[in-house]
Amino acid sequence: MKKEYSNVRGTIDFSEREALIYEYLREKSLKFFKLYQYQQLILPLLEEESLFIKGVGQGTDIVQGQMMKIEGKSIVLRPEATAQIVRHYLQHRLDKKNNFYKFFYIGPMFRGERPQKGRLRQFNHIGAEAVGSNSFYLDAEIIKLALDIVNAAGIEKKELQINSLGCAQDKKKSAKKIKNDLAKDKKKLCSNCQKRLERNPLRVLDCKLPSCRKVAVNLELDKSHLCLDCRQHFENLLTLLDQLEVTYNYQPNLVRGLDYYTNTVFEITSSQLGAQDALGAGGRYNNLFHRLGAIEVPAVGFALGVERMILALDHFTKPKEIPSVFIAKAGVLEREVFFLSAGLRRQGIASNFDFCGKSLKAQMRYAQKTGAELVVILGEKEFNKKEVILRDMKNSKQETVKLEELAARIRVASRE
Ligand code: HAM
């Protein structure tokens, strides 16, 4: 394939099917964002590189090699939106206006990863961030909101994995334990993880290499690194999830690939996805504001990966929308078809017709191929009597309908 006819590696074109699912997911999530009262932020795709170095963390995979940088500038295409929302909050001193906000966003993110199924260089997030409270009720709301969207999308096989990293002090404690416990197996780790073990031991748990996983799986991690407050926060959250009848797997090895997390971390995984099995993920990031050199503000959020959800929706069928017809014409009735279509659209009926001079037979074939369930056939004889033929493509039955009754008849027929 000629280069100029190929898309960039790690990007995908959304054709009709993907675009339909994308819109469907957007609609479902907008409904829940309204129900839960989250307000939308639409932020730029470009940000200062330093935001993510400080926010996401110098030692993370994102900062180490995945940032898509504009050549000669300190600007990157955003790899994620959590740090960006914190930047927005700080820039506009939102703390001076209110002490609590609930935001949502839908849009593309960019990471220069090695492309594979479910791992792209440009992908979309549907995300939410609740800023200004450390309440475990808010953790529960965020998790429930993410699950409500995934459920409403119709993704059946999914599981919630959950853990608590604890506060900054607790994280230091578990980092020390991981470093000590893995010291004897250091040589079995990949060269990257050997470095991580020195600089950022928690990162070792996030390595996807089977050899490192084999070592990490032997670590005996539990809740003992958690201080009293953090343990209570986590226990309260789990009790709340039980009461909401949300099932979860407690995964003491779940750490997530971004450094800003504290306390609750979670992933929604699906066995339908293969190696890249996270449909979405999130957690609490009580230290992110501080990492950016500012005030301390507790916050929690999530982001769902749109392309992964599209992969999981392999049996997606288009939901029935407004009534629709294809208008086929026998003979030279271009003007009449054009205005009939315009009239139907005015009455809220979707319509389409041939612009290419096809024969009646070819028009019917086209209608069939594009999945039209109803076809209006316009013939000169009928049209002179202000009538058309309405054909039901499912059972091949047809009837003659008066033009003035057409819209009402289409509405009834499309419900039948
Ligand atoms: P993340 O785990 O990096 O978290 O991304 C969230 C989701 O985006 C993943 O679970 C996955 O579904 C999807 N995703 C990530 N990378 C790719 C990729 N290269 N190709 C396709 N899909 C991908 C975050 O970004 C955090 N900002 C989430 C968050 C919000 N935490 C708190 N608030």
Side-chain angles (χ1 to χ4, degrees), residues 62 80-82 105 111 113 118-120 123 125 128-129 256 258 260-261 278-283 285 301-305 308:
I62 291 182
E80 60 107 50
T82 310
Y105 51 95
R111 295 182 194 174
E113 306 206 58
R119 191 198 272 167
L120 298 160
F123 55 96
H125 269 170
E129 314 290 347
R256 310 270 303 113
L258 304 96
Y260 51 58
Y261 290 112
L279 288 166
Y285 46 96
F302 72 82
L304 299 171
R308 302 241 180 121

Side-chain angles (χ1 to χ4, degrees), residues 11 146 182 200 262 360 365:
T11 66
L182 292 186
N200 193 346
T262 55
L360 179 60
R365 258 203 312 271

Side-chain angles (χ1 to χ4, degrees), residues 10 56 62 66 79-83 105 109-130 142 256-258 260-261 266-268 273 276-285 288 299-309:
V56 173
I62 291 182
Q66 298 174 357
E80 60 107 50
T82 310
Y105 51 95
M109 308 292 153
F110 304 83
R111 295 182 194 174
E113 306 206 58
R114 203 144 53 87
Q116 65 180 81
K117 189 177 169 207
R119 191 198 272 167
L120 298 160
R121 290 185 168 166
Q122 178 177 337
F123 55 96
N124 289 277
H125 269 170
I126 294 177
E129 314 290 347
I142 276 286
R256 310 270 303 113
L258 304 96
Y260 51 58
Y261 290 112
F266 64 92
E267 276 186 2
I268 302 170
L273 287 182
Q276 303 299 318
D277 67 349
L279 288 166
R284 200 161 254 297
Y285 46 96
L288 180 52
V300 59
F302 72 82
L304 299 171
V306 170
E307 287 71 8
R308 302 241 180 121
M309 292 209 275

Side-chain angles (χ1 to χ4, degrees), residues 356-372:
C356 306
K358 287 191 180 82
S359 68
L360 179 60
K361 212 166 150 191
Q363 290 175 65
M364 296 305 285
R365 258 203 312 271
Y366 178 85
Q368 183 108 46
K369 240 199 275 178
T370 52

